[in-house]
Amino acid sequence: MDLINQIKKLKKEKNAIILTHCYQNIEIDEVSDFVGDSLYLSKMAAKTDAEIIVFAGVFFMAQSAKLLSPQKKVLLPNKNSGCLMADMIDLENLKIFKQKHPNIPVVCYINSNAEIKANCDICCTSSNAVEVVRSLKTDKVLFVPDTYLGKYVESKLENTKVITFNGFCPTHLRIRVEDIEQARKTYKDALILAHPECHQEIVKRADFTGSTKEIMEFAKNSSCKHFIIATEKGVVDRLNRDSKLNNWNKKFTLINENITCPNMKKNTLEDIYQTLLTESNEIILDKEIIEPAKNCIEKMLQLKTN
Ligand code: 13P
Ligand code: SF4
């Protein structure tokens, strides 16, 4: 039996599901129950009645699934797949950041580890960051860890100052202004779609900025036939596949060949099979952070954004 069928058989035997982020290697979709962005997958993790969740994504995503379904076994296929941005903030520098700006609500991007979430007021994803900050009805917020998503949120709100921590995504920051200029020259009729983790100079020049889900929906619904995608390669691979499967007759080009997240790409089908077989790489959370970190995510989910 091939690996794909072995994984499917194991899933049935063990009452397991596989949640897959759109930045994963595309062949993983074949064994996945749900494929999407971080907001969608966190909602699916909260809803499922499977006993085991295999999270094909990065560490903070699997941790978030565990927070939302603490009674389930959550497994990460490759234990080295962490998010470089999430690892840029720890409890010590969060404390210093809060002390420097006292008495201001703290919003944390879902791309953060559980102990950070446990010490923030509310979580957001790139799909709902603007709505989450707006819901606080305050003139100032602290935003961790992504400085660029924080600045993007501020640009969308009229009366809110967003004070950002200095984290960033090394993958999205590899997209340069020259890439945009080159794409404009080479592909005159294409639209450029960017993720808000990109530098503001990229966001300023893009035709549309949105989360993974928003980019995919925009591309699907637009009458344009060619799109330059300024985010991770997995999004381009899935859009080109869906275009072929559904006869959209649309083409998607990655803005620059280097835009892959090395940690997202660490998970392989073999890792998924081994993890499920041996039930290894289980996410275990410290007891004292479960409640506050879970509250931080649930407050976001209760807003029913997107
Ligand atoms: P989404 O929230 O759009 O899924 O993005 C997650 C991420 O890690 C982007 O780099
Ligand atoms: Fe983290 Fe960037 Fe990879 Fe997203 S693309 S998981 S933010 S390192």
Side-chain angles (χ1 to χ4, degrees):
M1 203 189 298
D2 68 11
L3 203 49
I4 290 189
N5 282 315
Q6 281 177 299
I7 294 171
K8 286 183 179 168
K9 185 166 169 272
L10 267 183
K11 275 203 309 178
K12 244 191 217 156
E13 284 167 11
K14 298 197 174 208
N15 187 19
I17 59 162
I18 301 180
L19 304 182
T20 300
H21 192 269
C22 291
Y23 292 2
Q24 292 289 292
N25 294 304
I26 196 163
E27 61 270 21
I28 293 177
D29 288 11
E30 269 219 55
V31 295
S32 304
D33 296 272
F34 301 101
V35 180
D37 69 355
S38 43
L39 179 60
Y40 173 72
L41 295 177
S42 54
K43 285 180 180 166
M44 292 304 120
K47 270 189 202 162
T48 182
D49 49 19
E51 285 165 69
I52 298 180
I53 298 174
V54 177
F55 208 116
V58 284
F59 181 67
F60 77 81
M61 294 180 178
Q63 257 194 342
S64 302
K66 179 71 182 174
L67 285 167
L68 291 167
S69 293
Q71 72 291 1
K72 309 220 159 92
K73 198 175 248 188
V74 179
L75 311 173
L76 183 67
N78 184 313
K79 63 176 183 333
N80 297 318
S81 49
C83 165
L84 298 169
M85 179 207 285
D87 292 341
M88 286 178 187
I89 187 163
D90 61 20
L91 275 182
E92 190 50 33
N93 46 37
L94 174 62
K95 198 170 131 199
I96 296 169
F97 185 58
K98 283 164 65 166
Q99 276 168 352
K100 206 168 152 203
H101 307 281
N103 306 318
I104 302 176
V106 192
V107 178
C108 80
Y109 189 20
I110 195 149
N111 293 38
S112 53
N113 296 322
E115 68 272 20
I116 299 300
K117 291 188 176 83
N119 286 280
C120 291
D121 297 294
I122 187 166
C123 192
C124 72
T125 73
S126 54
S127 295
N128 62 17
V130 174
E131 287 161 83
V132 167
V133 173
R134 187 182 281 126
S135 77
L136 296 174
K137 298 188 173 58
T138 166
D139 58 351
K140 260 187 214 161
V141 293
L142 302 186
F143 194 94
V144 304
D146 187 8
T147 191
Y148 295 102
L149 181 61
K151 286 178 205 292
Y152 173 75
V153 169
E154 186 175 69
S155 76
K156 295 283 163 193
L157 295 170
E158 271 171 18
N159 300 314
T160 309
K161 176 147 187 55
V162 180
I163 303 166
T164 63
F165 187 78
N166 59 5
F168 58 90
C169 167
T171 299
H172 284 87
L173 281 205
R174 281 206 294 275
I175 302 171
R176 299 155 308 170
V177 170
E178 299 90 275
D179 297 327
I180 301 260
E181 286 166 354
Q182 188 58 50
R184 290 270 184 231
K185 266 192 222 149
T186 316
Y187 309 110
K188 296 218 165 22
D189 296 329
L191 289 179
I192 300 180
L193 317 184
H195 194 281
E197 284 177 17
C198 293
H199 195 283
Q200 308 100 286
E201 291 303 318
I202 304 300
V203 168
K204 232 196 264 172
R205 288 166 174 79
D207 295 301
F208 174 80
T209 300
S211 66
T212 306
K213 178 178 161 229
E214 288 162 341
I215 287 177
M216 292 176 104
E217 276 175 3
F218 181 94
K220 190 176 159 191
N221 298 328
S222 164
S223 57
C224 181
K225 291 291 180 197
H226 187 197
F227 302 85
I228 310 303
I229 306 295
T231 188
E232 215 271 347
K233 180 175 179 292
V235 174
V236 174
D237 294 342
R238 283 169 177 82
L239 284 168
N240 278 321
R241 177 201 58 197
D242 293 349
S243 175
K244 231 185 227 163
L245 284 175
N246 303 303
N247 298 317
W248 295 346
N249 198 19
K250 293 183 180 181
K251 188 177 158 198
F252 301 91
T253 306
L254 188 60
I255 185 119
N256 153 345
E257 277 170 23
N258 294 324
I259 313 306
T260 54
C261 171
N263 285 7
M264 279 276 188
K265 299 295 194 239
K266 280 184 180 153
N267 296 311
T268 62
L269 280 172
E270 183 61 39
D271 291 332
I272 292 178
Y273 174 70
Q274 286 301 335
T275 307
L276 200 46
L277 182 71
T278 58
E279 300 185 20
S280 50
N281 301 340
E282 185 178 352
I283 302 291
I284 308 284
L285 293 164
D286 289 344
K287 270 203 193 92
E288 56 296 357
I289 63 166
I290 294 179
E291 269 316 298
K294 189 175 177 205
N295 284 343
C296 182
I297 302 181
E298 278 182 343
K299 273 192 220 152
M300 165 186 83
L301 294 176
Q302 278 155 14
L303 288 177
K304 301 216 181 321
T305 54
N306 293 295

